[in-house]
Amino acid sequence: MNVPEAVIKEAGSLVKEFGSNFEFLGERDGVQVYVFQFPKDTHTGYPFVYCYDGKRALELTGEAALENVALFDVE
């Protein structure tokens, strides 16, 4: 999977610490949605979700991140 450079840049501190690990959730209304994947042995709170419109990436956390993940069929 080719993660857009804008998404990698927006997630800069996470990528620097944990590597470039993203899951593509899907596309909705022309926006691609990615979620950052932490290593399996890492305990975290809310997911970090990135919405990419073809030009810019926007990071979502907290309740907004959960609401976006819920729009897709993910385990």
Side-chain angles (χ1 to χ4, degrees), residues 6 10 47-48 52 59:
E10 185 71 17
F48 286 79
Y52 178 66
E59 178 183 82

PDB file of all heavy atoms in Angstrom, residues 6 10 47-48 52 59:
ATOM      1  N   ALA A   6       1.669  13.122   2.390  1.00  0.00           N
ATOM      2  CA  ALA A   6       1.021  14.073   3.300  1.00  0.00           C
ATOM      3  C   ALA A   6       0.569  13.390   4.586  1.00  0.00           C
ATOM      4  O   ALA A   6       0.627  13.980   5.667  1.00  0.00           O
ATOM      5  CB  ALA A   6      -0.160  14.751   2.612  1.00  0.00           C
ATOM      6  N   GLU A  10       2.023  14.203   8.295  1.00  0.00           N
ATOM      7  CA  GLU A  10       1.107  14.590   9.373  1.00  0.00           C
ATOM      8  C   GLU A  10       1.309  13.709  10.609  1.00  0.00           C
ATOM      9  O   GLU A  10       1.157  14.161  11.738  1.00  0.00           O
ATOM     10  CB  GLU A  10      -0.341  14.510   8.879  1.00  0.00           C
ATOM     11  CG  GLU A  10      -1.362  14.993   9.863  1.00  0.00           C
ATOM     12  CD  GLU A  10      -1.358  16.498  10.091  1.00  0.00           C
ATOM     13  OE1 GLU A  10      -0.791  17.247   9.277  1.00  0.00           O
ATOM     14  OE2 GLU A  10      -1.925  16.925  11.105  1.00  0.00           O
ATOM     15  N   PRO A  47      -7.493   5.746  18.667  1.00  0.00           N
ATOM     16  CA  PRO A  47      -6.681   5.581  17.454  1.00  0.00           C
ATOM     17  C   PRO A  47      -6.314   6.936  16.860  1.00  0.00           C
ATOM     18  O   PRO A  47      -6.935   7.957  17.169  1.00  0.00           O
ATOM     19  CB  PRO A  47      -7.609   4.809  16.511  1.00  0.00           C
ATOM     20  CG  PRO A  47      -8.981   5.167  16.964  1.00  0.00           C
ATOM     21  CD  PRO A  47      -8.889   5.374  18.445  1.00  0.00           C
ATOM     22  N   PHE A  48      -5.297   6.930  16.030  1.00  0.00           N
ATOM     23  CA  PHE A  48      -4.923   8.104  15.251  1.00  0.00           C
ATOM     24  C   PHE A  48      -5.369   7.839  13.823  1.00  0.00           C
ATOM     25  O   PHE A  48      -4.882   6.908  13.171  1.00  0.00           O
ATOM     26  CB  PHE A  48      -3.406   8.329  15.291  1.00  0.00           C
ATOM     27  CG  PHE A  48      -2.933   8.866  16.606  1.00  0.00           C
ATOM     28  CD1 PHE A  48      -2.776   8.036  17.705  1.00  0.00           C
ATOM     29  CD2 PHE A  48      -2.636  10.210  16.742  1.00  0.00           C
ATOM     30  CE1 PHE A  48      -2.333   8.536  18.917  1.00  0.00           C
ATOM     31  CE2 PHE A  48      -2.200  10.722  17.951  1.00  0.00           C
ATOM     32  CZ  PHE A  48      -2.049   9.886  19.043  1.00  0.00           C
ATOM     33  N   TYR A  52      -7.269  11.939   4.035  1.00  0.00           N
ATOM     34  CA  TYR A  52      -6.498  12.533   2.949  1.00  0.00           C
ATOM     35  C   TYR A  52      -7.417  12.828   1.781  1.00  0.00           C
ATOM     36  O   TYR A  52      -8.069  11.925   1.245  1.00  0.00           O
ATOM     37  CB  TYR A  52      -5.381  11.572   2.531  1.00  0.00           C
ATOM     38  CG  TYR A  52      -4.556  12.046   1.387  1.00  0.00           C
ATOM     39  CD1 TYR A  52      -3.741  13.168   1.514  1.00  0.00           C
ATOM     40  CD2 TYR A  52      -4.574  11.378   0.173  1.00  0.00           C
ATOM     41  CE1 TYR A  52      -2.965  13.613   0.447  1.00  0.00           C
ATOM     42  CE2 TYR A  52      -3.808  11.805  -0.885  1.00  0.00           C
ATOM     43  CZ  TYR A  52      -3.005  12.928  -0.749  1.00  0.00           C
ATOM     44  OH  TYR A  52      -2.246  13.366  -1.801  1.00  0.00           O
ATOM     45  N   GLU A  59      -5.304  14.943  10.794  1.00  0.00           N
ATOM     46  CA  GLU A  59      -5.254  13.945  11.860  1.00  0.00           C
ATOM     47  C   GLU A  59      -6.481  14.080  12.747  1.00  0.00           C
ATOM     48  O   GLU A  59      -6.834  15.182  13.169  1.00  0.00           O
ATOM     49  CB  GLU A  59      -3.994  14.146  12.697  1.00  0.00           C
ATOM     50  CG  GLU A  59      -3.884  13.170  13.856  1.00  0.00           C
ATOM     51  CD  GLU A  59      -2.669  13.437  14.704  1.00  0.00           C
ATOM     52  OE1 GLU A  59      -2.750  14.335  15.576  1.00  0.00           O
ATOM     53  OE2 GLU A  59      -1.648  12.784  14.471  1.00  0.00           O
TER      54      GLU A  59
END
